[in-house]
């Protein structure tokens, strides 16, 4: 079920409950007002007429009762009766309107007597020196019909209003959720090759705008993570390429001709050392991948002259295979605290770049110097060099 449909159903349930309560309240209030107005008018007329009869002569009572029975302002079927404990003094009005049965003792104050078809006001009085009461009532069919029509109107109106409001709510939900559909479409268009794309910011700083900012921040983190992953893969390939090339070249040189047992042992020792170096590089790359950053550097005291001579002996077969001369200028011991594996890998990468851009018959020179407590390793080749405009991009 879609969010739009769920919102519409929630809106329909809430609105239906509100309309039902409002319709019941409106019908009840209307009915109460109609009956209250009728009862008040009947009581007022009955009390006024009873006072008039009580003050006047008993002979005029039938005339007063008849006059009241002819008033039709409150409704049809008017019936008025004056009675004492012993007899009905006078009775006038619609014969179809049946007065209620009232027995002595009469009520001490005016009351209303109600049934399904009629409504009577009973007003006590003193007539000819004895207790009496005046009953004044009408048929309630017109008011009951008005109340029924009001209920029927509500029964017809409420469903129509509910249907229209639900349809409007469905449309409004669609309009409100249209930015979400737009975000979904824009996100579908963003693939792994275009993570640099971003969702457009809406002009209004609402909930959708905050969602878009969060999604754009997530895309930025994904882009950085993807770039880091690609860079890591590239660095790993670069780190492993040179030792593998050295290992392959050394094996090819060893297999090119028959060699003595001592030469074979030396070639195997060189290959074994390169394999160990590859294993160490793989372990360090795996550790970097797990940690997501550079590991702590374990330093030890090294002699740069011995390190450079060892690396030159390792790379020399590769230089010979490419027709280049490798010259080492490291006659003085230079000591420093460094990580052997990291420094060895950096020097091998530098020499690999030098071999790559040195033409056949060219030369590569590696020099080690020390001055003012500062060690320097210099790698120079006879290749074309680096264009000046690309120098700032090297590091």
């Amino acid at each position: 079920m879609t969010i739009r449909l769920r919102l519409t159903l929630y809106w329909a349930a809430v609105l239906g409950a509100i309309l039902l309560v409002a319709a019941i309240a409106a019908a009840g209030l209307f009915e109460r007002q109609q009956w209250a107005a009728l009862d008040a008018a009947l009581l007022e007329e009955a009390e006024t007429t009873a006072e008039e009869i009580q003050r006047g002569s008993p002979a005029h009572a039938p005339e007063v009762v008849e006059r009241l029975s002819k008033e039709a302002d409150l409704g049809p079927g008017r019936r008025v009766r004056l009675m004492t404990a012993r007899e009905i003094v006078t009775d006038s009005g619609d014969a179809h309107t049946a007065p209620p049965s009232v027995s002595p003792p009469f009520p001490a104050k005016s009351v209303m007597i109600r049934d399904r078809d009629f409504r009577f006001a009973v007003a006590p009085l003193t007539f000819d020196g004895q207790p009496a009461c005046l009953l004044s009532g009408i048929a309630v069919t017109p008011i009951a019909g008005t109340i029924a029509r009001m209920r029927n109107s509500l029964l017809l109106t409420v469903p129509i209003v509910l249907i229209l409001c639900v349809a409007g709510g469905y449309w409004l939900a669609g309009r409100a959720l249209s930015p979400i559909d737009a975000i979904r479409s824009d996100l579908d268009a963003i693939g792994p090759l275009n993570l640099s794309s971003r969702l457009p910011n809406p002009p209004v700083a609402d909930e959708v705008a905050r969602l878009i900012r969060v999604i754009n921040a997530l895309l930025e983190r994904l882009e950085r993570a993807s770039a880091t992953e690609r860079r890591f893969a590239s660095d790993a390939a670069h780190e492993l390429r040179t030792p593998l090339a050295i290992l392959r070249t050394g094996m090819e040189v060893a297999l090119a001709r028959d060699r003595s047992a001592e030469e074979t042992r030396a070639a195997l020792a060189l290959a074994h050392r390169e394999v160990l170096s590859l294993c160490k590089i793989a372990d360090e790359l795996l550790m970097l991948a797990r940690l997501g950053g550079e590991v702590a550097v374990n330093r030890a005291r090294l002699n740069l002259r011995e390190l450079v001579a060892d690396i030159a002996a390792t790379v020399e077969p590769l230089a010979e295979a490419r027709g280049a001369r490798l010259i080492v200028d490291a006659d003085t011991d230079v000591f420093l605290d460094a990580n052997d594996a990291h420094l060895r890998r950096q020097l091998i990468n530098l020499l690999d770049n030098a071999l790559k851009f040195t033409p056949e018959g060219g030369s590569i020179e590696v020099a080690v110097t020390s001055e003012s407590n500062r060690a320097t390793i210099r790698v120079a080749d006879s290749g074309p060099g680096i264009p000046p405009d690309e120098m700032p991009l090297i590091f």
Side-chain angles (χ1 to χ4, degrees):
M1 185 182 294
T2 62
I3 295 178
R4 183 181 187 182
L5 184 56
R6 286 203 302 270
L7 288 175
T8 304
L9 291 178
Y10 296 155
W11 166 245
V14 173
L15 182 61
I18 293 175
L19 288 177
L20 180 61
V21 172
I24 294 174
L29 181 61
F30 179 78
E31 181 179 2
R32 183 175 180 180
Q33 288 177 344
Q34 292 295 313
W35 293 128
L38 178 61
D39 292 347
L42 283 174
L43 285 172
E44 182 181 2
E45 288 185 350
E47 290 173 351
T48 302
T49 304
E51 290 179 1
E52 184 180 354
I53 293 173
Q54 184 172 299
R55 289 195 306 267
S57 171
H60 291 90
E63 180 183 351
V64 175
V65 170
E66 184 179 2
R67 185 175 67 246
L68 178 61
S69 67
K70 292 180 179 179
E71 293 184 4
D73 56 332
L74 298 181
R78 191 66 177 263
R79 183 78 176 269
V80 182
R81 174 181 289 178
L82 176 62
M83 60 183 296
T84 64
R86 295 193 303 268
E87 62 177 343
I88 297 176
V89 177
T90 180
D91 193 354
S92 181
D94 194 338
H96 297 90
T97 303
S101 176
V102 179
S103 301
F106 299 125
K109 61 180 181 179
S110 300
V111 296
M112 289 297 303
I113 298 178
R114 308 173 181 90
D115 61 18
R116 187 173 63 86
D117 299 318
F118 307 103
R119 228 170 176 87
F120 276 85
V122 179
L125 73 153
T126 301
F127 179 77
D128 199 14
Q130 58 181 324
C133 69
L134 179 70
L135 285 74
S136 175
I138 61 171
V140 296
T141 304
I143 295 180
T146 302
I147 294 174
R149 287 192 295 273
M150 171 66 175
R151 289 174 179 169
N152 293 334
S153 298
L154 289 176
L155 288 176
L156 179 64
T157 304
V158 168
I160 294 176
V161 172
L162 180 60
I163 292 173
L164 293 176
C165 290
V166 169
Y170 186 78
W171 178 78
L172 286 176
R175 289 293 302 273
L177 294 174
S178 59
I180 305 299
D181 290 334
I183 292 175
R184 178 186 55 79
S185 300
D186 293 339
L187 286 177
D188 285 341
I190 298 176
L193 299 180
N194 60 339
L195 289 176
S196 59
S197 301
R198 296 292 182 268
L199 299 179
N201 291 318
V204 181
D206 54 5
E207 290 80 0
V208 175
R210 292 195 292 271
L211 176 61
I212 289 177
R213 285 198 296 270
V214 172
I215 293 176
N216 285 337
L218 175 62
L219 290 174
E220 185 175 353
R221 292 194 296 270
L222 288 176
E223 182 184 11
R224 289 200 301 266
S226 178
T228 302
E229 182 179 355
R230 290 195 301 269
R231 186 167 57 250
F232 180 81
S234 176
D235 292 344
H238 189 269
E239 295 287 350
L240 296 174
R241 182 182 57 190
T242 302
L244 287 173
I246 293 173
L247 182 60
R248 185 189 65 186
T249 303
M251 289 182 176
E252 290 174 352
V253 171
L255 294 174
R257 59 180 178 83
D258 295 335
R259 294 179 178 271
S260 63
E262 188 66 26
E263 290 175 337
T264 302
R265 181 180 294 276
L268 289 175
L270 179 61
H272 180 262
R273 186 177 63 185
E274 290 304 315
V275 170
L276 292 179
S277 177
L278 286 172
C279 292
K280 183 177 292 187
I281 292 174
D283 291 339
E284 290 181 352
L285 290 176
L286 180 61
M287 185 178 298
L288 286 174
R290 289 175 177 174
L291 293 180
E294 183 60 73
V295 298
V297 177
N298 297 320
R299 293 182 174 86
R301 190 162 182 80
L302 302 177
N303 189 337
L304 275 185
R305 182 185 61 80
E306 295 178 356
L307 179 64
V308 169
D310 188 29
I311 294 174
T314 302
V315 179
E316 189 170 7
L318 190 60
E320 292 177 355
R322 298 188 180 184
R325 292 185 303 112
L326 182 61
I327 304 171
V328 179
D329 183 9
D331 299 331
T332 306
D333 291 334
V334 178
F335 295 94
L336 77 162
D337 293 330
N339 182 280
D340 180 87
H342 289 186
L343 191 56
R344 182 182 296 274
R345 191 160 65 248
Q346 292 295 330
L347 290 176
I348 290 177
N349 286 338
L350 288 174
L351 290 175
D352 176 67
N353 289 332
L355 289 172
K356 185 187 301 182
F357 295 102
T358 298
E360 186 176 357
S363 61
I364 302 169
E365 181 182 355
V366 183
V368 177
T369 58
S370 176
E371 183 179 357
S372 301
N373 202 28
R374 181 183 180 89
T376 302
I377 301 177
R378 179 175 177 271
V379 178
D381 60 73
S382 58
I386 301 173
D389 57 339
E390 295 185 5
M391 288 292 292
L393 306 177
I394 295 177
F395 298 104

